[in-house]
Amino acid sequence: MAGEIVYADLNLSPGFPGSRAPLSAQPHSPTCPWWHRTALGVGWIGNIVLVIAVIALGIWGGSGCKLCPTDWRLRRDKCYWVVRGSKTWSESRADCSARGSQLLVIRDPKELEFIKDLTQDSKPFWIGLSVPSPEKAWTWVDGSRLDQSLFQEPGPAEGNSCGAVAGNQINSETCSSAFQWICQRDAILL
């Protein structure tokens, strides 16, 4: 019998260790309650709706998430930093530049109102407005001119005049004075 293969049909009793009942005789696995299937279906529908919403927002002008650095305040697409120390206008401008920003450039009366609420103070804060030379007019740090249809001229355009905001007014101050200041930068769009 050496080298021969022998087949045997074994009939083991169901209680015998290691024995299994034929597949047709095995009990069926228990079915899940109806609410499990319903919850799973609702979950899938919710996921599909969320995916469609994200795609729609991305395609049809969702403005995205806007972020500012820690301790900066977000308004629309800009971040604002109110510095409570005191420096000259030039030193304030350099500080904003070191923060990757610029002194505040106010574009409309609503932004001026926001700044008033942000500072909650009647003390002057340097902004990015100055008279670069005696023969020039009031100019923002980005090179644009002060729009006198939106804001009253802060004072005579003299060579050593810089703009400061106090409350809801823009005033002319001597650039060598020491005040607090406001920096602004673009928000990071995700």
Side-chain angles (χ1 to χ4, degrees):
M1 265 212 159
E4 292 183 30
I5 299 176
V6 177
Y7 293 95
D9 190 13
L10 300 175
N11 288 324
L12 302 175
S13 64
F16 190 78
S19 68
R20 289 181 53 191
L23 289 177
S24 60
Q26 287 186 358
H28 289 81
S29 60
T31 59
C32 293
W34 65 269
W35 62 270
H36 281 189
R37 288 186 298 275
T38 303
L40 184 62
V42 169
W44 276 108
I45 291 170
N47 285 336
I48 291 168
V49 168
L50 285 174
V51 167
I52 291 170
V54 167
I55 291 170
L57 284 173
I59 292 173
W60 289 297
S63 60
C65 185
K66 298 170 191 161
L67 297 176
C68 289
T70 304
D71 297 330
W72 289 62
R73 294 282 306 272
L74 175 67
R75 179 180 180 269
R76 295 187 183 158
D77 295 333
K78 301 286 182 191
C79 300
Y80 300 87
W81 174 263
V82 177
V83 183
R84 299 293 178 180
S86 292
K87 292 187 178 189
T88 66
W89 188 87
S90 294
E91 292 169 337
S92 300
R93 184 177 185 183
D95 179 77
C96 287
S97 182
R99 296 173 191 271
S101 62
Q102 67 181 16
L103 279 171
L104 173 64
V105 175
I106 302 173
R107 292 292 175 210
D108 58 59
K110 288 183 180 180
E111 188 172 25
L112 181 59
E113 190 64 32
F114 169 75
I115 296 303
K116 176 186 167 193
D117 294 341
L118 184 63
T119 60
Q120 297 179 347
D121 207 337
S122 60
K123 295 178 186 175
F125 287 81
W126 287 127
I127 58 175
L129 186 64
S130 67
V131 180
S133 63
E135 63 275 357
K136 294 215 174 190
W138 285 99
T139 306
W140 293 104
V141 290
D142 66 0
S144 62
R145 293 271 176 105
L146 175 67
D147 185 347
Q148 292 181 14
S149 67
L150 294 175
F151 305 108
Q152 180 180 350
E153 189 171 289
E158 299 172 359
N160 193 25
S161 297
C162 292
V165 65
N168 60 352
Q169 291 197 343
I170 299 174
N171 302 316
S172 175
E173 300 288 348
T174 305
C175 298
S176 58
S177 299
F179 296 126
Q180 300 172 30
W181 65 98
I182 304 169
C183 300
Q184 92 179 41
R185 64 182 287 172
D186 291 333
I188 300 167
L189 185 62
L190 296 181

